[in-house]
Amino acid sequence: MTIKVFSVDISKPLASAVAVMTSRITNRTERIAITNGQLTRVFERPDNLSIEVNADGYKSAQRTMTIAVSPTGNRYEFDAQLDPAPISLTVWAVDSRTNKPIHDAHFTVSGKAGNTTLLLTPDSTTGVVKTELPGKGMYQLTSSASGYGDFTKSIKLDSMQSEARVILTRKKTPDVTKAQALPEAVVKSAKSTFVETPVAKPIIKAPTLSGSIQMPAVTNKPFGSVENGKPVQLKNVYFDQSLPILRSESFPELDQLVSMLAENPAMQIELRGHTDNQGDFDLNVKLSRDRCQAVIDYLVTKGIAKNRLSALGRGPIDPIAPNNNEENRRKNRRVEFIILYY
């Protein structure tokens, strides 16, 4: 008898699993480790087996098999396809100064390659929200709340029960003479506790002017004065209807973006896609992210390093106009970029 263990693709076996075999004839139970996704056993006596195959982070698979022994030999196979087990995530946001919960925070969680995107609204009393995710791994967590700076960070979830506490800092007039407080995500699981904090950027002092002192900005003719964290709309970027396919009319505007990135080789940007509120929410989020990815693919073909670019699909979450007529909905269907670092 041969047992093969895999998830989704039989050609990619799981590295580690366990088979629990119980004989219905002798009532004997045997626990056997499976390495490299395959186990082979030879039976010299007939048997009736109940087999359960388990792997960490996956749902188990069961099979009942009757083993017959003949002089010529019989072959038995059990292809155990294991589905990833869902994990539970609890999320809440707190004020960086008071450590009190922020009740009006909203969260989005995106999975690997944007395949899973959830919009989470916490309980208005506790500020806490719980959800299930399809499996362990890296996820992108985004949070926003009125009066606070936005937060986006990749978090690693390696336990079936995980918690993410997002620490948000209130917006204030930046003081270039002092280091700014940075948001944090504290992720807890049964196995580990760690704090992920973005690396502080070097403080840049602007020249003293007769007026107020402002954070330095990139001045680029097509886009005007571009500042860290300030969204800039790409007004002449077009796609095929309901598809993430760039139209050639978009190339002149994107070439201007290429020029800006080439002139500022340390600059890193995030492309943010937006849609109107028509249709399925998840499909809109996916479409908005795929369109950003199409822009990134174009920029890469023009020589911009891929690690300087990231994509975030916001779907209908951030409208700039009411979705009450086609003209306003057209305004909401847009792609923006935000400077993360320069």
Side-chain angles (χ1 to χ4, degrees):
M1 179 181 69
T2 301
I3 300 176
K4 296 180 180 179
V5 187
F6 61 96
S7 175
V8 182
D9 187 348
I10 196 170
S11 67
K12 298 177 181 178
L14 294 181
S16 177
V18 174
V20 180
M21 298 186 186
T22 301
S23 170
R24 296 188 175 187
I25 296 176
T26 64
N27 289 325
R28 180 185 174 189
T29 297
E30 192 175 3
R31 184 180 177 90
I32 308 165
I34 303 176
T35 57
N36 299 322
Q38 184 166 314
L39 171 69
T40 301
R41 295 296 301 273
V42 177
F43 293 85
E44 297 179 352
R45 300 184 185 88
D47 210 337
N48 191 324
L49 297 175
S50 175
I51 306 172
E52 181 176 358
V53 178
N54 301 286
D56 186 34
Y58 294 87
K59 297 179 181 179
S60 61
Q62 294 85 25
R63 176 75 63 84
T64 299
M65 302 185 74
T66 299
I67 306 296
V69 177
S70 68
T72 58
N74 296 322
R75 295 182 62 85
Y76 299 90
E77 292 189 355
F78 175 13
D79 292 338
Q81 179 176 350
L82 307 187
D83 295 324
I87 64 173
S88 175
L89 174 65
T90 302
V91 188
W92 72 99
V94 298
D95 185 288
S96 62
R97 185 176 60 84
T98 66
N99 205 36
K100 292 183 178 180
I102 302 171
H103 298 290
D104 66 343
H106 293 274
F107 308 93
T108 56
V109 180
S110 300
K112 303 160 190 172
N115 290 337
T116 303
T117 302
L118 299 173
L119 173 64
L120 307 178
T121 302
D123 181 270
S124 59
T125 303
T126 64
V128 174
V129 61
K130 296 183 179 181
T131 189
E132 282 196 346
L133 298 171
K136 298 178 182 179
M138 297 298 298
Y139 290 85
Q140 186 179 63
L141 175 63
T142 300
S143 177
S144 60
S146 178
Y148 291 86
D150 289 346
F151 163 86
T152 300
K153 186 70 178 177
S154 293
I155 59 174
K156 182 179 181 181
L157 302 181
D158 59 359
S159 174
M160 303 309 291
Q161 300 286 334
S162 297
E163 297 178 348
R165 177 168 59 96
V166 176
I167 303 174
L168 298 181
T169 302
R170 284 193 174 274
K171 292 179 179 179
K172 60 181 181 180
T173 303
D175 182 351
V176 297
T177 65
K178 298 180 180 179
Q180 302 298 308
L182 297 171
E184 299 175 352
V186 182
V187 181
K188 296 181 179 180
S189 70
K191 293 183 179 179
S192 63
T193 300
F194 62 92
V195 178
E196 295 196 58
T197 305
V199 177
K201 303 180 182 63
I203 301 167
I204 304 174
K205 292 188 177 182
T208 303
L209 305 175
S210 57
S212 59
I213 298 177
Q214 298 180 347
M215 291 293 286
V218 173
T219 300
N220 184 277
K221 290 182 179 179
F223 307 116
S225 180
V226 184
E227 302 174 11
N228 274 15
K230 180 181 178 181
V232 178
Q233 184 175 345
L234 296 170
K235 296 182 179 180
N236 298 304
V237 173
Y238 307 98
F239 300 87
D240 287 353
Q241 184 173 359
S242 301
L243 293 172
I245 300 175
L246 270 172
R247 292 164 56 182
S248 58
E249 304 97 289
S250 310
F251 298 163
E253 176 112 346
L254 294 182
D255 288 342
Q256 297 287 353
L257 185 56
V258 169
S259 298
M260 186 184 77
L261 290 167
E263 292 169 5
N264 299 274
M267 181 181 290
Q268 298 177 16
I269 66 170
E270 178 179 80
L271 280 301
R272 292 189 177 184
H274 305 271
T275 67
D276 58 32
N277 67 348
Q278 305 298 294
D280 181 79
F281 175 83
D282 289 338
L283 292 179
N284 279 335
V285 172
K286 184 178 186 302
L287 175 62
S288 62
R289 188 186 186 283
D290 289 347
R291 285 180 166 177
C292 289
Q293 190 59 52
V295 172
I296 287 177
D297 293 342
Y298 179 85
L299 299 178
V300 170
T301 65
K302 295 294 184 176
I304 304 302
K306 195 171 184 178
N307 60 6
R308 298 173 60 192
L309 312 168
S310 60
L312 179 64
R314 298 289 289 173
I317 298 173
D318 302 317
I320 57 175
N323 284 290
N324 54 2
N325 57 55
E326 178 55 30
E327 182 180 353
N328 282 338
R329 287 192 288 270
R330 189 180 300 112
K331 295 177 182 178
N332 290 329
R333 299 191 292 266
R334 66 197 190 280
V335 173
E336 301 170 333
F337 73 86
I338 291 179
I339 297 178
L340 301 179
Y341 177 76
Y342 69 89

